[in-house]
Amino acid sequence: MTEERVERLLAEVHDDFGMIRVLEVDDYRFLEFGDAIEQSCVFTADPSWLEYDYTRAMLIGALCHEAPETALFLGLGAGTLTQACLKFLPLEDVEAIELRPDVPRLAIEYLGLDDDPRLYIRVGDALELLDSAEPADLIFVDLYTDLGPGAGHLAWTFLENCQKRLNPGGWLVINQWATDDGKPLGAALLRGLYHRHYWELPVKEGNVILIVPADLEQTLDHQALAERAQALAPRLGYSLQSLISDIRPAT
C-alpha cells in the first residue's frame, strides 16, 4: 500500500493576471499559476537542484559558453535555473525580468531563492524592458503563463532583439513549446529569423530547448560542451550526457 502524498498550501495570492500558489509535497515545493498549472518545482533541501529535463537542457545551453560572466533571465519563476547558473557558472552579473511582482517575493520567501548580490530582479514585461537590459553572454527566454507560452515566444522582433542583446560569442536559450510533431512552436518563423543556424534539444516534458548563437559564424562545439558537462557532473549530482546526445540541428 503506497503512502498518500500530503499537499500543503503555503501561499496563495491574486494579481492582475490571476492566481499564484505555492504548494509543498514531501521534499518539494511547487509554484503554480491559475488552475493547478505547475510553473516550477523546487527540491527544498537544495534550491539549485534541477528536477526537470527542460531546466537541465537550458543549463546545457548555458554550458555552450566557455566562461560566461553575464546572464539575463526573461521570466524568473521559482528561480531554480537562475540559482543553478549562479552556483555552477562563473557569473559576475545576472539580471532577471519577471512580469508578476509577487513571483520574486514568493520565490525568496518560500522557494529558496537566495538574495545573491550578483542578482538584480526587475518587475515588468520582458517585451518592453529588453531594450533597457544590459547585453549578456547568456540570455534565457522562459515566458509562460497558465495558458501556455507568452506572446514573446512567437514575436519576431522580440526574438530578434534577444539575439541582438547577446555579447559576441553569447548564447540565447529558449524554452519553446513543442507541437505534436515534435518540432518547436513557430518552427517556420524560427528558421527564417535565425537562418536555420541554431540547435534543438527536445525533452520529455514536451518542450524543445532552442540553443541560438549570437551570429552565423559561431558554432556549437559538442566535444567541449560534453567535457564541461562531465566535469560539472559531480557537483550537479547528475549527468547531462544523455540530454547532450539528443541535441540536433534546427529542423
Side-chain angles (χ1 to χ4, degrees), residues 42-160:
V42 177
F43 180 46
T44 312
D46 180 6
S48 66
W49 173 269
L50 300 179
E51 182 71 17
Y52 292 138
D53 278 0
Y54 84 89
T55 51
R56 295 183 183 190
M58 294 183 82
L59 179 61
I60 288 170
L63 291 175
C64 290
H65 198 295
E66 183 179 5
E69 296 181 358
T70 54
L72 171 63
F73 290 82
L74 304 179
L76 175 70
T80 51
L81 180 63
T82 305
Q83 297 248 97
C85 288
L86 283 165
K87 182 174 181 178
F88 299 116
L89 303 178
L91 293 170
E92 298 177 0
D93 188 23
V94 176
E95 182 178 358
I97 298 176
E98 169 57 47
L99 180 65
R100 305 173 74 165
D102 283 302
V103 168
R105 179 182 64 80
L106 293 170
I108 292 169
E109 190 170 344
Y110 295 100
L111 300 166
L113 180 62
D114 279 338
D115 184 17
D116 192 301
R118 295 171 292 169
L119 176 61
Y120 170 54
I121 300 173
R122 285 200 290 166
V123 173
D125 189 335
L127 277 73
E128 297 173 2
L129 296 180
L130 176 64
D131 288 346
S132 60
E134 292 292 323
D137 296 327
L138 300 171
I139 297 179
F140 301 88
V141 178
D142 193 7
L143 302 171
Y144 280 78
T145 71
D146 54 337
L147 302 175
H153 284 259
L154 283 174
W156 178 290
T157 302
F158 170 70
L159 293 172
E160 182 179 44

